[in-house]
Amino acid sequence: MALLFRSSVDSEARWKPQLTRLMPELDVRLWPRIGDRADIDYALVWRPEPGLLASLPNLKLILSLGAGVDHILCDPQLPRHVPIVRLVDPYLTDAMSEFVVLQVLRLHRQDLDYQSQQHAGIWHELPQKNAGECKVGILGFGEIGQDAGRKLAALGFPVSGWGRRERILAGFPTYAGPEGLFQLLPRSEILVCLLPLTRETEGILCARTFAALPRGAGLVNAGRGGHLVEEDLIPALDRGQLSAAALDVFQQEPLPPAHPFWHHPRILVTPHIAGITNPTTAAPIILDNIRRCEEGRPLLNQVDPAQGY
Ligand code: NDP
Ligand code: OXD
């Protein structure tokens, strides 16, 4: 049983020992030295080269190294008959929620203003609100969105969520579909994007969306760079429609050195680290799906390519 490991960001040295410790019979082949392509049963990937998966004639299952699968579905030669599973790992979910809580608190507690006051040696008290007075709207109320929502709610933030389908969740007002979006936005003093990148969600963080938020709202984007229409952000910040943005993901990664986001005083930039996949916790989850596939049992977290997530 052979598995191709291909990641454009992660090192094989972190993964191979974890995988083979738990499944010694697994023959892990590291791109590009993969031997006979006909041997490969499984592909564990992050942003594989277009056409790579199509070149594996006996591929049984594609496993994403992350929660998102846009990096797989964007391959125009993707073999459509091969099932795809994404990673749902409580460790990754916790990491994402930590990031969201951190950024929401930074925006809520005016961290950028106090940082610039410190740099200028200014001792000045700004008006303060409690969490209970700051409504948070979460776009993408799935595994990660709901966990982040629960943790923000525990701090006192009134949290609402938005998804594709209507759902009832105790303790959280939820909204769905395009109409629901424009009901949620005016109720979001901080808007958090935890959506998958699909045809429907691409460009969702745009001037029209910002205009529907309360004036001075904060933005956190930890979904994908493609959610944000980048040229709409700085005008919204400069006009005061948005007060600040914390961005972990970008249209182009790494963010080019000359990009205006690096030095804008109201933008916080992190290098796509909100949730980094941890081989120790993820390997057993990945191998569980391989075992399920071998035994003909239902896969966990299978993606619907037609929906894009
Ligand atoms: P889930 O599939 O569990 O949740 C996705 C949510 O998005 C669901 O609530 C879904 O709605 C909603 N959604 C999808 N399409 C639409 C749409 N067209 N309109 C409205 N809502 C929509 O995914 P996860 O929570 O596990 O992950 C979310 C994303 O987070 C990933 O796809 C990835 O892009 C990003 N991520 C980023 C990381 C980082 O380091 N920055 C790390 C990990 C993930 P419904 O509930 O109705 O299905
Ligand atoms: C993911 C990511 O999707 O790290 O897991 O972006």
Side-chain angles (χ1 to χ4, degrees):
M1 195 170 33
L3 173 136
L4 158 73
F5 176 88
R6 171 59 180 147
S7 168
S8 59
V9 293
D10 208 344
S11 90
E12 56 195 58
R14 283 191 348 124
W15 280 90
K16 192 169 174 176
Q18 293 298 335
L19 294 167
T20 48
R21 184 176 59 83
L22 296 169
M23 196 181 264
E25 70 274 27
L26 193 65
D27 171 7
V28 179
R29 310 259 181 107
L30 307 171
W31 172 257
R33 297 173 300 283
I34 59 173
D36 185 350
R37 288 170 188 245
D39 295 346
I40 305 290
D41 304 286
Y42 297 98
L44 176 58
V45 292
W46 179 261
R47 280 192 213 132
E49 287 66 13
L52 172 60
L53 298 168
S55 75
L56 308 171
N58 296 317
L59 191 60
K60 294 184 200 161
L61 178 62
I62 300 167
L63 302 109
S64 173
L65 276 160
V69 287
D70 49 299
H71 62 103
I72 297 171
L73 296 177
C74 66
D75 179 351
Q77 296 165 58
L78 186 68
R80 296 280 160 190
H81 61 284
V82 182
I84 303 170
V85 289
R86 66 189 200 90
L87 182 64
V88 177
D89 178 353
Y91 187 96
L92 178 65
T93 302
D94 282 344
M96 288 295 287
S97 294
E98 283 178 16
F99 178 87
V100 170
V101 169
L102 169 70
Q103 302 302 350
V104 166
L105 283 172
R106 290 186 81 179
L107 301 185
H108 169 60
R109 294 302 300 252
Q110 306 161 92
D111 200 31
L112 279 169
D113 300 284
Y114 283 118
Q115 265 187 18
S116 50
Q117 286 190 190
Q118 178 180 350
H119 291 142
I122 296 171
W123 183 278
H124 172 65
E125 191 178 286
L126 298 167
Q128 195 174 99
K129 285 182 179 175
N130 274 8
E133 299 163 283
C134 176
K135 300 189 205 74
V136 178
I138 300 185
L139 304 183
F141 216 44
E143 293 286 343
I144 298 169
Q146 286 181 42
D147 188 72
R150 282 189 290 273
K151 288 169 182 168
L152 289 168
L155 288 167
F157 290 99
V159 175
S160 305
W162 182 68
R164 201 164 52 84
R165 294 162 291 204
E166 302 279 350
R167 61 167 79 219
I168 301 191
L169 280 174
F172 296 103
T174 53
Y175 301 86
E179 267 183 33
L181 176 63
F182 283 85
Q183 292 167 347
L184 172 103
L185 293 173
R187 297 172 165 87
S188 303
E189 278 143 337
I190 296 180
L191 185 69
V192 178
C193 177
L194 291 169
L195 285 163
L197 184 63
T198 68
R199 271 193 311 276
E200 289 175 8
T201 64
E202 187 173 0
I204 194 165
L205 304 174
C206 61
R208 183 162 173 256
T209 299
F210 302 152
L213 292 167
R215 188 167 169 78
L219 173 69
V220 178
N221 186 17
R224 286 287 182 262
H227 289 129
L228 175 65
V229 177
E230 291 192 346
E231 54 276 22
D232 288 357
L233 180 64
I234 291 182
L237 289 165
D238 292 350
R239 278 198 315 274
Q241 177 56 25
L242 294 181
S243 56
L247 308 176
D248 184 57
V249 284
F250 303 89
Q251 295 272 0
Q252 192 183 333
E253 294 180 5
L255 188 62
H259 200 288
F261 288 175
W262 279 116
H263 301 293
H264 194 282
R266 308 304 306 174
I267 298 179
L268 291 158
V269 169
T270 48
H272 199 144
I273 48 69
I276 298 174
T277 301
N278 174 1
T280 311
T281 56
I285 297 167
I286 287 162
L287 295 175
D288 179 31
N289 255 332
I290 291 182
R291 278 197 196 91
R292 285 169 176 268
C293 188
E294 285 294 302
E295 292 163 13
R297 287 187 288 130
L299 298 169
L300 296 178
N301 305 307
Q302 187 167 350
V303 167
D304 176 357
Q307 298 300 346
Y309 70 104

